[in-house]
């Protein structure tokens, strides 16, 4: 028996390659730093193309969404939707399609009161959306605008001419971000877009393996991502940085947490035995932002690494992606309650790709349990 399926291979994938010993990560053959630089739409183009996912182009959606809350084209810091995306021509059409789909999805959102848990709000928005349950663009757009609507004041409407990241940040804040900030969020969304058979992606593939629809697979994945051992970690990482306060207090704080039997959030990973390569990418991006708490985060990470090495010799517990996610999103002025919902707004792209791959190559996923209860 292998309770956590650790190291069990249950699928072949053409999407993301992870070397947990060397700390290397590549998506469809491109190193994670290149994917981060290219942005979310390019990452979606590469992953969806590799998985054989088909998307409806922007023109049909443009026509449908005309007049629904659109603020007109070309108002963003990055100008009109370009005919060509620097990374891929497919990325340009995904950008256009996502822009139009944001407008449609925004108009269809139910009330998402702040009293709801953010991930519950995303599930509510997706489950009640009138969108086609097999439409990857509409599903991706729905999660993005639901994350923004739940966190923000809905004082602006989506601008379909903008890149997805820039528009989400604008909707979240109710004001246009600077080009540097828009690029930083885009880089984050692209960095975390896919990561092998993590729990939520596996959940999506399990649902897809039964022949269910894409929307249901994404709903299953959202439930898995919500947990604190998966996508729910970055908020608590920020709580930890707040609690530590000053770099010199980090070692004592970490020791006290471990002595109390608590886990250090943002540390440890099922696959990586070295520092998560995404942490370096996000840390570099965070360091470009004026408000970032990179120096404090470095001190806490160093203290946590030293203490965990002493407490769990041989386990090699290092910083994971959530550690620097917290630092980066905090530097963008995003409330910590939105960290997991923004993660979902990106990872949905990977779920869509995996569902496509599962449908093409997979079988019904149905393992067995060893019975240990009373015998008849
Ligand atoms: N703080 C303290 N101890 C930790 C730890 C952490 N962050 N991560 C792992 N450990 C310890 C466990 O307590 C366990 O000790 P034990 O063998 O004495 O019980 C041992 O290391 C192995 O942990 P285990 O939970 O079996 O490893 P895993 O592969 O299932 O864990 C995580 C992976 C991510 C769930 C785990 O490292 C964790 O809980 N991290 C904190 C949450 C987090 O940052 N999640 C985001 C992941 S991207």
């Amino acid at each position: 028996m292998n309770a956590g399926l650790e190291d069990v291979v249950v699928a072949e994938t053409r999407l993301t390659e992870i070397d947990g010993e060397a700390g290397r990560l590549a998506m469809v053959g491109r190193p994670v730093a290149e994917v981060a630089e290219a942005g979310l739409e390019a990452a979606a183009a590469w992953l969806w193309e590799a998985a054989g996912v088909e998307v409806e182009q922007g023109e049909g959606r443009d026509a449908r969404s005309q007049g629904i809350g659109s603020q007109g084209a070309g108002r963003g810091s990055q100008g009109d939707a370009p005919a060509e995306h620097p990374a891929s021509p497919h990325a340009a059409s995904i950008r256009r399609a996502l822009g139009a789909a944001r407008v449609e999805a925004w108009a269809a959102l139910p009330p998402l009161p702040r009293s709801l848990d953010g991930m519950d709000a995303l599930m509510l928005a997706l489950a009640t959306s009138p969108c086609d349950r097999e439409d990857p663009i509409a599903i991706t757009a729905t999660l993005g605008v639901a994350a923004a609507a739940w966190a923000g004041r809905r004082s602006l409407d989506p601008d379909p001419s903008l890149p997805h990241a820039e528009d989400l940040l604008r909707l979240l804040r109710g004001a246009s971000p600077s080009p540097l900030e828009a690029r930083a969020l885009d880089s984050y969304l692209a960095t975390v877009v896919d990561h092998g058979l993590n729990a939520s992606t596996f959940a999506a593939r399990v649902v897809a393996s039964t022949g269910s629809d894409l929307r249901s697979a994404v709903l299953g994945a959202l439930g898995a991502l919500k947990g604190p051992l998966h996508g729910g970690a970055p908020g608590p990482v920020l709580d930890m940085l707040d609690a530590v306060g000053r770099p010199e207090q980090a070692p004592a704080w970490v020791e006290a947490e471990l002595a109390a039997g608590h886990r250090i959030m943002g540390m440890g990973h099922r696959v990586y035995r070295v520092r998560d390569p995404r942490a370096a990418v996000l840390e570099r991006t965070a360091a470009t932002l004026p408000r970032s708490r990179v120096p404090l985060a470095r001190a806490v990470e160093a203290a946590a690494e030293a203490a965990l090495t002493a407490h769990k010799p041989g386990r090699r517990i290092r910083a994971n992606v959530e550690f620097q996610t917290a630092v980066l999103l905090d530097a963008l002025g995003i409330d910590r309650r939105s960290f997991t919902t923004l993660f979902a707004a990106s990872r949905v792209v990977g779920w869509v790709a995996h569902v496509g791959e599962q449908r093409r190559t997979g079988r019904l996923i149905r393992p067995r349990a060893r019975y240990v209860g009373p015998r008849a």
Side-chain angles (χ1 to χ4, degrees):
M1 188 180 88
N2 186 334
L5 299 183
E6 188 160 0
D7 293 329
V8 176
V9 176
V10 298
E12 289 186 330
T13 185
R14 307 181 69 81
L15 302 174
T16 294
E17 185 181 15
I18 305 169
D19 182 336
E21 287 292 330
R24 273 199 300 268
L25 168 64
M27 294 178 211
V28 202
R30 292 168 177 87
V32 62
E34 184 185 331
V35 178
E37 180 70 27
L40 182 74
E41 285 89 342
W46 290 327
L47 290 169
W48 290 355
E49 207 172 341
V53 173
E54 290 183 3
V55 300
E56 185 195 345
Q57 299 305 314
E59 293 75 22
R61 296 173 198 278
D62 286 342
R64 280 203 306 279
S65 63
Q66 258 175 17
I68 319 174
S70 166
Q71 304 208 338
R75 297 176 42 154
S77 58
Q78 300 192 23
D80 289 335
E84 293 294 315
H85 188 284
S88 143
H90 282 123
S93 34
I94 288 178
R95 176 174 154 180
R96 274 196 301 278
L98 270 177
R102 280 195 305 278
V103 174
E104 284 188 282
W106 184 257
L109 282 178
L112 299 173
R114 197 71 176 143
S115 54
L116 278 180
D117 172 272
M119 292 297 281
D120 291 347
L122 261 53
M123 289 187 246
L124 173 67
L126 186 59
T128 57
S129 163
C131 75
D132 180 341
R133 51 183 61 237
E134 289 296 339
D135 184 344
I137 290 282
I139 290 172
T140 302
T142 298
L143 294 195
V145 296
W150 174 76
R153 292 178 298 278
R154 298 204 198 192
S155 55
L156 296 175
D157 289 325
D159 181 341
S161 73
L162 295 178
H164 198 52
E166 182 171 353
D167 204 22
L168 293 188
L169 193 49
R170 177 180 156 275
L171 293 171
L172 256 169
R173 290 183 170 173
S176 290
S178 71
L180 186 69
E181 292 170 323
R183 280 190 58 76
L185 186 66
D186 198 22
S187 165
Y188 163 71
L189 295 178
T191 300
V192 301
V193 72
D194 187 45
H195 202 243
L197 284 198
N198 57 86
S200 59
T201 302
F202 185 56
R205 287 187 82 130
V206 170
V207 176
S209 84
T210 69
S212 189
D213 55 272
L214 176 62
R215 183 195 349 216
S216 299
V218 171
L219 284 166
L222 284 167
L225 187 71
K226 184 180 174 186
L229 298 189
H230 187 10
V237 168
L238 204 56
D239 296 340
M240 170 172 75
L241 296 185
D242 286 348
V244 172
R246 292 203 308 276
E248 60 277 16
Q249 290 171 343
W253 190 91
V254 168
E255 280 299 342
E257 278 296 287
L258 291 177
H262 298 157
R263 290 190 178 208
I264 309 299
M265 287 292 141
M267 299 296 295
H269 198 274
R270 176 59 66 81
V271 178
Y272 292 117
R273 295 290 163 253
V274 293
R275 192 181 196 228
D276 189 324
R278 296 167 297 177
V281 174
L282 298 184
E283 188 180 33
R284 269 201 304 278
T285 307
T288 65
L289 297 168
R291 289 185 56 233
S292 100
R293 295 155 87 185
V294 169
L296 174 62
R298 280 205 186 119
V300 176
E301 181 182 337
E305 189 178 316
L308 286 165
T309 303
H311 283 256
K312 305 279 169 204
R315 182 74 198 176
R316 292 191 282 158
I317 299 172
R318 304 285 183 270
N320 62 50
V321 67
E322 310 292 16
F323 203 100
Q324 293 298 331
T325 292
V327 179
L328 173 53
L329 297 185
D330 178 51
L332 285 171
I334 295 170
D335 185 275
R336 68 195 74 194
R337 289 180 66 201
S338 286
F339 290 179
T340 312
T341 56
L342 281 174
F343 189 179
S346 158
R347 186 55 65 84
V348 60
V349 169
W351 297 332
V352 165
H354 277 269
V355 167
E357 206 172 52
Q358 177 68 32
R359 285 175 173 170
R360 284 156 65 103
T361 61
R363 297 179 68 206
L364 173 69
I365 298 174
R366 205 298 188 195
R368 290 172 54 193
R370 181 154 47 94
Y371 180 70
V372 293
R375 303 273 173 195

